[in-house]
Amino acid sequence: MCASANPTPDFQALFQSAPGLYLVLTPDLNIVEVSDAYLRATMTQREEILGRGIFDVFPDNPDDPSATGVRNLRASLLRVIQDKTPDTMAVQKYDIRKPESEGGGFEERFWSPVNSPVFGPDKGVVYIIHRVEDVTEFIRLKQQTLEQEKLAEKLRTHAGQMEAEIFQRAGEVQEANRRLEAANQALLRELSERKRAQEALTKSQKWLSTTLGSIGDAVIATDMNGAISFMNPVAESLTGWTQAEAAGMPMDLVFDIVNKETRRPVENPVKKVFREGKIVGLADHTILRSKSGKEFDIEDSAAPILTETGEAFGVVLVFRDITDKKLAEEETRRQKDLLQLILASVADGVVVADTAGKFLVFNAAAERFIGIGATDASPERWSEQYGSFLPDGVTLFPAEELPLVRAMRGESVDAVELFIRNQHVPEGRLLSITGRPLKGEDGSLKGGVVVLHDITLEKRAQEALTLAKEEAERTSRFKDQFLSTMSHELRTPLNAVLGFSDLLADERYGPLNEKQRRYIDHIHTGGKHLLSLISDILDLSKIEAGRMELAIENLSVQGAFSEVLSVMQPLADKKSHALSAKAEAGFSVRADATRFKQILMNLIGNAIKFTPDGGRIELSGLLDGGRVRVEVKDNGPGIPDEEKKQIFEAFYRLRESGKKSEGTGLGLAITQRLVELHGEELSLNSQVGQGSCFYFSLPAAVSVREALGRKVETSSRGLGPQRILVIEDDRATAQLIHSQLSSAGYHVTLCDEPQKAVELAAQLQPNAITLDIVMKPKNGWEILIQLKRDPRTAQIPLIVVSMVDQPSMGTLLGADEYLVKPVDKMTLLGAIERHVRNHSKTKPGRSILIVEDDAPTREFIAEMLTTHGFAVTTAADGAQARAQVAAALPELVILDMMLPEVSGFELLGEWRASLRTAGLPVFVLTSKDLSHEEQSYLRTHAEALLRKQQPWHETLVKHIERVMAPSVAEKA
């Protein structure tokens, strides 16, 4: 007969029945499970707390203004969620609400909490285990023990003092008797002195009575028959008899004593004195029963009253009430027993030793952790005896540095890690040890105490987490390397596809039929889409890897809007959209110019894509206090509420009813992250059927002020050939440039009114223009754009001379050269001479050298430049380029950075280091993912930096046309 399978344990029931105090929380701090022991300890019911927030169920005591339980517990739970590691809290005072059936209000409680994370499959925190131990009684007992010990010490001191005082008073009584006897003898001998002796005796008796009546202990005196002759007030109070009532009464009747345990009569100490003739005391556990029936724990002593000759004539009994002392001793014993029970029950190990190394406490948890309990080994042998190692598990822990030894020396130690491995713990255990010196009430060092916490599992979990983190970072690096490599490998052939499809579409090699043109359009459209996708993925990867750097500057809002609209207008026209921009003149923001325009183009492109034909799209900039709010509005279909958060996720594409989703789903994700890189937030207002509005704010820069009335200064040398127009509103800088150029023979015209610069340049038609960027009321970027767009001035060489270090922006906007102030005279004159010379040529005497290892791309660039009338030569690698430049200096070099044998960086470095090639114009055209340092190097040593992943065909041609005039093509 087959045995039945073991039933599956009911884990919920097991958890609820566990003896420990456990609470299971979700990451939003709601209670999802609780053990029965926890419910009993907190006086709550399971159905009343499940599903509720922990701080709703367990708030701070409103009557305790210093309560910190909620704040400390919340901080610990948040640390667990953030750090994903357990968090052990110090003992907390956290009062618990009592049920209304028990009177309501709050009950004072002390807890020792530990909060531990529970991880899900994705390594995220899915639950938090909140474990506590109720240490209220331990805290109270500890406080009571200290108070009782102080009281007991005080009582012992007082008892010693009283005993000494009693013996002193007994001696005084004996001395008084001796004096009385001497007086009687003197009275017999000398009747004449009798009266004086009687007075002395009366005085002595009065003094003795007063003395005995004022001491704190009870005193009873008897004669030789045991009859009471004297009682002081304390004795009257304890026995319940007055002096008058007890006088002459037998001692047994007034001083009624029994054994506390057996309740049987105890021999009266007076009788014992009569029998033994010496001082005697009562045994422990003696009870005095007063006349009223009240009982007192007492201790006493009795002594014979002797004459000078040693003859006894009575007994004096001194006793005191020690009821409170007995209660205190009993309470102290009970608290010590309870403390031992607590130490045996706590989860952490506790070890206490005196200054000599003798163990006073070694609880069960400590013995379980270490595998060996208390021994008689000396401290210098503890490391060997217990197998104590450094955390490496190999090096023996120095005995003099053990946490307990340091605590015994008076040092405090925190969270010292120690590895235990011995025959009882063969696999080893890692402990975290905290130690403190053990001191007496007077501050003297008594020993040391340490608390041992087993962190073996925590350490393993932490190590596993570290390995997982390192693996994730390694994976991220591989992903970045993969994306960078693939982006280059894909862009190179894509550039050739796009370039040759453009050439075929021009029908330079024969006419195309309708089907052929349609196919070429498909090729070109698909290639542009794929190139856009690769660029978006690389941008997103850079942002997420933290490698996207911003160059923050003061940026004209109106100027940026104008540039963006000029790019986006053709796309809007295809769908008959009304595209407009609204921004007051003079608005400026603090932003990265390139990324700011990318944000605007992404948002406008999105609006164009999703707004039906004939729609309205508006770009606006509104000043709001010290910030500029930028908005992109459309009257499109709007975005449903359920998709408003999802649209900012990577690769998410908005669903349109009955339409295929377009795009990569990366535009808004990248846009949001670019806004966040500026320290701001991209927001959305949208209602279905009423359009959408994306908006964000940027810090406003210093407003561009209106121009003051200034005049255009012209050199007194008059107009003539090789005239230079200097556009600079700083008078000192303008005069410096004027002097430098005039000394070289140039005719110089100064313009310190930027708003008049374009018209002046059109009238003068100078051979070259120098332009500052930071000017008011119109900045240099705006003037640069206007000069290059105006047909009258577009071909005039323009050299930027400015403190703003953004040569790439200058190149993109059409500057022929970019010099960063301060500029020395030779550098300025060299740039002017180079561009004036090139501008004055009708034909170049030398060809353009194209250095590109990808054959299709090299062929396309050569064909494109030949079509525009330029003579070209080509080199397939760095070695060929080096040889050709050494043989004959080209007019200009178009250089790729990623070349076989000799890289583009090596070539550029060699050329700039040689006097022969230092002034050779070099245009960098590359798809390499450049670092920040590489970009800075190229902007310094190359005349232009163009990216293959961006539209570059027209830009390259325009840059070349500004440097040199076209000639009849001569392709080598």
Side-chain angles (χ1 to χ4, degrees):
M1 182 175 180
C2 296
S4 60
N6 292 328
T8 302
D10 186 345
F11 291 103
Q12 183 175 15
L14 289 176
F15 174 80
Q16 293 177 352
S17 303
L21 278 62
Y22 296 97
L23 199 65
V24 182
L25 306 174
T26 61
D28 55 4
L29 307 185
N30 286 332
I31 301 170
V32 295
E33 191 51 90
V34 61
S35 67
D36 295 336
Y38 193 98
L39 293 170
R40 291 192 296 272
T42 58
M43 297 180 285
T44 55
Q45 300 295 323
R46 180 174 281 104
E47 60 273 14
E48 294 178 355
I49 69 172
L50 288 182
R52 296 177 60 191
I54 184 171
F55 298 117
D56 293 333
V57 177
F58 301 110
D60 275 333
N61 184 351
D63 297 326
D64 183 2
S66 63
T68 60
V70 169
R71 182 182 65 196
N72 294 342
L73 179 55
R74 188 189 304 276
S76 173
L77 294 173
L78 292 179
R79 284 195 297 272
V80 171
I81 295 172
Q82 180 178 348
D83 299 338
K84 298 183 179 179
T85 58
D87 190 82
T88 301
M89 300 176 65
V91 172
Q92 301 288 315
K93 180 180 181 296
Y94 203 136
D95 298 344
I96 295 300
R97 183 159 37 202
K98 295 169 62 178
E100 294 299 328
S101 59
E102 295 185 23
F106 282 75
E107 181 175 303
E108 183 184 67
R109 291 289 186 89
F110 293 86
W111 310 89
S112 177
V114 177
N115 300 306
S116 305
V118 176
F119 300 102
D122 60 349
K123 305 299 183 183
V125 177
V126 294
Y127 296 104
I128 302 172
I129 303 297
H130 173 59
R131 175 174 64 85
V132 298
E133 292 185 25
D134 188 348
V135 296
T136 305
E137 288 301 320
F138 172 76
I139 297 298
R140 291 175 178 167
L141 289 175
K142 184 176 181 182
Q143 295 172 346
Q144 293 176 0
T145 298
L146 292 175
E147 294 174 357
Q148 293 297 339
E149 286 178 353
K150 291 181 181 178
L151 178 60
E153 182 63 25
K154 183 176 181 181
L155 290 174
R156 283 194 294 271
T157 302
H158 185 62
Q161 293 173 345
M162 295 309 300
E163 185 172 1
E165 187 176 352
I166 289 170
F167 280 108
Q168 180 182 354
R169 296 296 183 265
E172 291 174 351
V173 171
Q174 291 178 352
E175 179 63 19
N177 288 336
R178 187 186 65 75
R179 291 177 180 177
L180 181 59
E181 182 64 25
N184 288 334
Q185 292 298 325
L187 180 62
L188 294 173
R189 289 193 302 269
E190 298 181 21
L191 293 175
S192 61
E193 295 181 1
R194 184 172 183 177
K195 183 176 180 181
R196 186 174 58 186
Q198 184 65 40
E199 292 174 351
L201 177 60
T202 301
K203 182 177 180 181
S204 177
Q205 289 177 334
K206 184 176 181 181
W207 176 85
L208 178 61
S209 176
T210 302
T211 299
L212 294 177
S214 62
I215 65 175
D217 291 339
V219 179
I220 300 177
T222 70
D223 58 20
M224 290 302 293
N225 295 320
I228 294 174
S229 60
F230 173 80
M231 291 179 69
N232 74 348
V234 179
E236 290 179 332
S237 174
L238 293 178
T239 62
W241 293 74
T242 65
Q243 168 76 34
E245 292 172 335
M249 300 293 291
M251 175 64 88
D252 287 339
L253 181 61
V254 176
F255 192 65
D256 182 14
I257 54 177
V258 296
N259 184 279
K260 184 176 183 178
E261 305 295 336
T262 64
R263 308 300 295 180
R264 300 185 65 180
V266 176
E267 181 183 16
N268 195 294
V270 173
K271 292 181 178 180
K272 195 171 183 180
V273 171
F274 284 149
R275 183 176 69 252
E276 298 180 3
K278 63 180 181 179
I279 299 174
V280 298
L282 284 176
D284 289 338
H285 312 297
T286 302
I287 293 294
L288 170 64
R289 297 189 296 192
S290 72
K291 183 179 179 183
S292 64
K294 189 174 181 181
E295 297 183 350
F296 301 94
D297 279 290
I298 63 167
E299 60 182 10
D300 67 1
S301 64
I305 304 174
L306 304 175
T307 66
E308 289 183 356
T309 60
E311 182 180 357
F313 66 89
V315 175
V316 60
L317 174 68
V318 180
F319 59 97
R320 62 174 58 92
D321 179 10
I322 61 169
T323 303
D324 291 340
K325 176 184 174 182
K326 288 289 185 181
L327 290 175
E329 290 175 350
E330 182 64 28
E331 181 63 22
T332 299
R333 282 194 296 273
R334 191 181 72 82
Q335 291 180 3
K336 287 182 178 179
D337 292 342
L338 182 59
L339 180 58
Q340 290 297 327
L341 181 62
I342 292 172
L343 288 174
S345 303
V346 295
D348 287 337
V350 179
V351 180
V352 183
D354 62 19
T355 53
K358 179 182 179 181
F359 290 112
L360 306 178
V361 174
F362 208 110
N363 75 341
E367 186 169 349
R368 185 174 66 256
F369 291 164
I370 301 176
I372 304 172
T375 67
D376 295 330
S378 59
E380 55 267 20
R381 294 189 57 246
W382 282 352
S383 287
E384 296 179 1
Q385 180 81 17
Y386 291 102
S388 304
F389 297 88
L390 293 175
D392 61 12
V394 176
T395 309
L396 202 64
F397 209 108
E400 67 277 5
E401 294 300 319
L402 287 169
L404 181 55
V405 175
R406 292 176 61 187
M408 290 159 50
R409 292 200 300 260
E411 299 179 36
S412 294
V413 294
D414 293 289
V416 174
E417 293 187 0
L418 183 147
F419 187 77
I420 292 291
R421 185 176 60 247
N422 53 49
Q423 59 183 359
H424 302 287
V425 190
E427 295 184 358
R429 179 175 283 115
L430 188 63
L431 303 177
S432 175
I433 304 178
T434 298
R436 293 291 184 270
L438 189 66
K439 295 185 178 181
E441 290 185 1
D442 58 353
S444 61
L445 187 64
K446 301 294 184 182
V449 55
V450 292
V451 177
L452 319 177
H453 182 63
D454 185 358
I455 60 171
T456 306
L457 296 179
E458 296 175 16
K459 204 69 174 180
R460 289 173 183 169
Q462 183 179 357
E463 290 172 354
L465 187 62
T466 300
L467 289 174
K469 180 175 178 291
E470 292 174 351
E471 180 62 24
E473 290 173 348
R474 191 163 65 92
T475 302
S476 179
R477 287 195 299 273
F478 287 160
K479 180 198 71 173
D480 293 340
Q481 293 171 2
F482 171 78
L483 289 174
S484 178
T485 302
M486 289 306 296
S487 67
H488 173 263
E489 296 301 324
L490 290 172
R491 281 171 177 158
T492 299
L494 272 176
N495 274 298
V497 170
L498 293 172
F500 283 112
S501 64
D502 278 339
L503 290 176
L504 290 173
D506 287 343
E507 300 188 0
R508 295 188 60 227
Y509 304 99
L512 302 174
N513 60 38
E514 184 179 350
K515 181 181 291 186
Q516 290 171 332
R517 180 173 294 281
R518 187 168 66 253
Y519 287 172
I520 289 175
D521 287 343
H522 290 333
I523 293 172
H524 193 74
T525 301
K528 287 177 64 178
H529 178 74
L530 186 55
L531 185 61
S532 174
L533 175 60
I534 293 170
S535 298
D536 284 348
I537 291 174
L538 187 59
D539 273 352
L540 188 60
S541 176
K542 281 184 179 179
I543 294 171
E544 291 181 343
R547 299 203 312 269
M548 177 78 72
E549 298 180 3
L550 301 183
I552 303 297
E553 59 179 304
N554 290 355
L555 185 64
S556 167
V557 175
Q558 192 176 47
F561 282 10
S562 177
E563 291 181 49
V564 170
L565 257 64
S566 67
V567 174
M568 303 304 294
Q569 189 64 55
L571 296 177
D573 292 341
K574 287 182 180 180
K575 296 185 69 175
S576 302
H577 289 322
L579 179 60
S580 63
K582 179 177 64 176
E584 292 185 24
F587 278 8
S588 295
V589 293
R590 295 286 296 164
D592 180 292
T594 301
R595 300 306 172 184
F596 179 62
K597 294 169 188 173
Q598 184 178 354
I599 292 168
L600 298 181
M601 286 191 283
N602 282 353
L603 293 176
I604 294 175
N606 226 44
I608 291 172
K609 182 194 304 180
F610 290 102
T611 302
D613 292 358
R616 185 178 64 259
I617 300 167
E618 179 181 309
L619 173 63
S620 63
L622 309 172
L623 187 61
D624 183 11
R627 305 175 67 77
V628 175
R629 175 179 166 124
V630 180
E631 298 180 349
V632 176
K633 296 180 182 179
D634 64 60
N635 64 342
I639 301 171
D641 291 341
E642 62 271 16
E643 293 192 71
K644 284 181 179 178
K645 289 186 178 179
Q646 294 174 293
I647 61 172
F648 293 108
E649 298 174 2
F651 301 106
Y652 182 83
R653 294 186 294 181
L654 190 65
R655 295 190 297 271
E656 290 186 278
S657 177
K659 294 185 179 180
K660 181 181 177 181
S661 298
E662 297 182 5
T664 63
L666 289 174
L668 282 178
I670 293 173
T671 301
Q672 183 187 50
R673 286 161 174 78
L674 289 176
V675 173
E676 290 171 350
L677 279 177
H678 284 79
E680 306 298 336
E681 180 181 358
L682 179 63
S683 301
L684 166 66
N685 285 331
S686 181
Q687 292 185 5
V688 175
Q690 298 184 24
S692 303
C693 175
F694 289 87
Y695 62 92
F696 61 94
S697 294
L698 290 171
V702 177
S703 299
V704 181
R705 58 184 173 85
E706 291 299 323
L708 298 175
R710 297 182 181 176
K711 296 182 179 179
V712 175
E713 292 189 9
T714 304
S715 172
S716 59
R717 303 174 71 170
L719 300 176
Q722 296 189 347
R723 179 177 300 280
I724 311 299
L725 173 61
V726 177
I727 305 173
E728 171 66 70
D729 68 345
D730 181 82
R731 184 171 294 274
T733 303
Q735 289 297 338
L736 175 62
I737 296 175
H738 182 283
S739 299
Q740 292 173 337
L741 296 179
S742 296
S743 66
Y746 293 104
H747 294 280
V748 182
T749 298
L750 295 180
C751 175
D752 64 352
E753 291 185 287
Q755 69 274 22
K756 297 181 179 180
V758 176
E759 286 303 320
L760 183 60
Q763 294 172 13
L764 293 180
Q765 288 295 307
N767 297 85
I769 299 172
T770 70
L771 173 66
D772 188 20
I773 296 299
V774 183
M775 296 187 294
K776 296 180 180 180
K778 211 170 191 180
N779 67 48
W781 298 125
E782 296 175 82
I783 297 171
L784 174 56
I785 293 170
Q786 292 176 2
L787 287 171
K788 291 305 179 183
R789 285 183 179 176
D790 193 321
R792 299 173 297 171
T793 57
Q795 299 302 320
I796 300 174
L798 192 148
I799 302 165
V800 174
V801 182
S802 176
M803 291 291 291
V804 179
D805 187 7
Q806 290 194 23
S808 60
M809 177 63 74
T811 301
L812 287 174
L813 296 180
D816 296 277
E817 190 150 341
Y818 199 109
L819 303 178
V820 179
K821 295 177 183 178
V823 180
D824 60 77
K825 179 178 179 180
M826 296 309 297
T827 301
L828 176 63
L829 293 178
I832 293 291
E833 192 276 333
R834 182 165 54 252
H835 291 287
V836 168
R837 181 187 70 242
N838 291 337
H839 184 61
S840 63
K841 291 179 180 179
T842 58
K843 285 188 180 180
R846 296 168 291 183
S847 62
I848 298 173
L849 174 61
I850 303 170
V851 187
E852 170 63 63
D853 63 321
D854 182 67
T857 303
R858 185 172 65 250
E859 182 179 355
F860 167 70
I861 298 173
E863 183 68 22
M864 179 181 70
L865 295 183
T866 300
T867 303
H868 284 81
F870 295 103
V872 298
T873 58
T874 62
D877 55 45
Q880 291 183 18
R882 177 188 285 162
Q884 291 191 35
V885 172
L889 199 65
E891 188 72 26
L892 180 147
V893 178
I894 298 173
L895 179 64
D896 188 15
M897 290 289 102
M898 303 175 69
L899 299 170
E901 298 186 26
V902 182
S903 74
F905 285 103
E906 293 179 73
L907 289 176
L908 185 59
E910 292 175 6
W911 292 338
R912 290 299 178 249
S914 171
L915 291 175
R916 176 173 174 269
T917 55
L920 175 62
V922 177
F923 288 4
V924 173
L925 176 62
T926 184
S927 62
K928 186 179 187 302
D929 185 14
L930 300 171
S931 68
H932 181 69
E933 291 75 16
E934 290 173 335
Q935 292 182 48
S936 298
Y937 178 82
L938 294 178
R939 287 167 179 161
T940 303
H941 296 91
E943 277 65 31
L945 173 58
L946 304 175
R947 306 293 185 89
K948 292 179 181 177
Q949 55 265 43
Q950 298 172 351
W952 57 269
H953 304 165
E954 294 182 6
T955 305
L956 176 62
V957 173
K958 287 181 180 179
H959 280 323
I960 295 174
E961 287 176 344
R962 292 190 185 107
V963 174
M964 53 190 292
S967 66
V968 178
E970 296 175 6
K971 182 175 180 180

